[in-house]
Amino acid sequence: MTARCTAASPDRRQLLAGMAGFAAAAGLAPPLLARAPDVDLALVLAADCSGSVSPDFYMLQQQGYADAFRSPDVIKAIRSGIHGGIAVCYIQWSGYSLQTQVIPWTLLKGDADIAAFAGQMQQAGRGIYGGGTSPAGAIRQGRLLLGDLQTEGRPFLAVRRVIDVSGDGRTNVGPAPDADRAEAMALGITINGLPILHMEPDIDEYYAREVIGGPGAFIVPARSFDAFREAIRRKLILEIAGHPVMARPAG
């Protein structure tokens, strides 16, 4: 199963107009609407830490994230936007009400910022070990974090807002993703997916049908946790640069 991204590369005026529209939909105060964006992208990395993710799989996942942020192509993508930087945070998720923010919002612009974040990802401890699988909960938490980032007094205003959900299973606890996905999309948030096919060979179809949504949404599947490293590297390049993609399984 493949999913095609349809995002374009608008000019600065279009980006600012789009941000004003997103902010208006979110009910932001007028003073914030007049403020220019600080970063090209605000990105929530949401990693599945349900019971199907063994300790070995967890370590492969974290190493994959770290290696991706050390990749010259990812670093180039971070610097390629109008503002030359992005804001990123990292959460772990399982059940609908079970998420934890492991790394807070972090500005990535210079070499030192990016290298430090890669080290944090590699060393990030696991805070969740079970509790079922609920992509809806991951989307909900990502929406709340992105909404909070846009409120008065917060350090970053972003041109684009994205939730990056990775996981190896479909919903088995809590509601289907429909309602939470719709709420995020209504605020102009994009939800992308990195389905891992090691347990359910059609999980990519589920992610494409039930999880992703919003402007330019796409999936990059990984055939296994061993393939996660290449999949997340490829996905981050496309996600950060905002380019269209035809997703094919990595590994």
Side-chain angles (χ1 to χ4, degrees):
M1 176 68 182
T2 58
R4 188 186 299 273
C5 169
T6 57
S9 297
D11 62 22
R12 181 177 176 81
R13 285 175 298 177
Q14 289 174 313
L15 291 172
L16 293 174
M19 275 304 303
F22 294 164
L28 299 181
L32 194 55
L33 292 176
R35 174 183 157 194
D38 306 295
V39 293
D40 300 296
L41 172 69
L43 176 63
V44 177
L45 297 171
D48 184 356
C49 282
S50 60
S52 60
V53 180
S54 70
D56 287 343
F57 290 160
Y58 176 78
M59 293 304 296
L60 285 170
Q61 184 172 256
Q62 296 311 117
Q63 187 65 52
Y65 277 122
D67 289 346
F69 279 97
R70 292 174 180 136
S71 163
D73 290 333
V74 172
I75 295 170
K76 180 180 178 181
I78 291 171
R79 292 174 169 166
S80 68
I82 292 171
H83 303 284
I86 66 173
V88 188
C89 72
Y90 170 57
I91 68 171
Q92 297 171 357
W93 63 273
S94 60
Y96 186 70
S97 299
L98 192 54
Q99 304 91 32
T100 183
Q101 186 175 5
V102 179
I103 301 177
W105 284 112
T106 304
L107 177 65
L108 304 186
K109 277 199 171 182
D111 288 345
D113 300 332
I114 301 168
F117 186 78
Q120 285 182 289
M121 289 298 294
Q122 184 166 357
Q123 299 299 322
R126 183 170 182 170
I128 298 174
Y129 294 85
T133 302
S134 176
I139 293 169
R140 176 180 176 275
Q141 184 64 16
R143 174 178 60 79
L144 292 173
L145 287 167
L146 287 166
D148 187 49
L149 189 67
Q150 300 294 101
T151 58
E152 193 69 46
R154 293 294 177 173
F156 308 121
L157 189 64
V159 174
R160 294 182 293 119
R161 294 180 291 165
V162 174
I163 304 168
D164 181 330
V165 181
S166 63
D168 67 353
R170 66 194 67 213
T171 302
N172 61 24
V173 64
D178 307 55
D180 288 291
R181 178 176 63 175
E183 286 190 42
M185 290 169 58
L187 296 176
I189 294 169
T190 295
I191 305 143
N192 295 329
L194 198 164
I196 305 163
L197 283 61
H198 79 120
M199 288 181 59
E200 300 184 42
D202 63 344
I203 194 64
D204 55 339
E205 297 179 16
Y206 175 79
Y207 264 63
R209 185 178 65 250
E210 305 287 343
V211 175
I212 69 170
F218 66 94
I219 63 169
V220 174
R223 297 191 187 280
S224 66
F225 276 94
D226 289 315
F228 184 89
R229 176 179 179 272
E230 173 57 22
I232 192 63
R233 186 194 70 84
R234 184 192 308 173
K235 187 163 182 284
L236 284 170
I237 293 168
L238 297 164
E239 208 157 45
I240 294 167
H243 292 325
V245 59
M246 177 68 78
R248 301 186 184 280

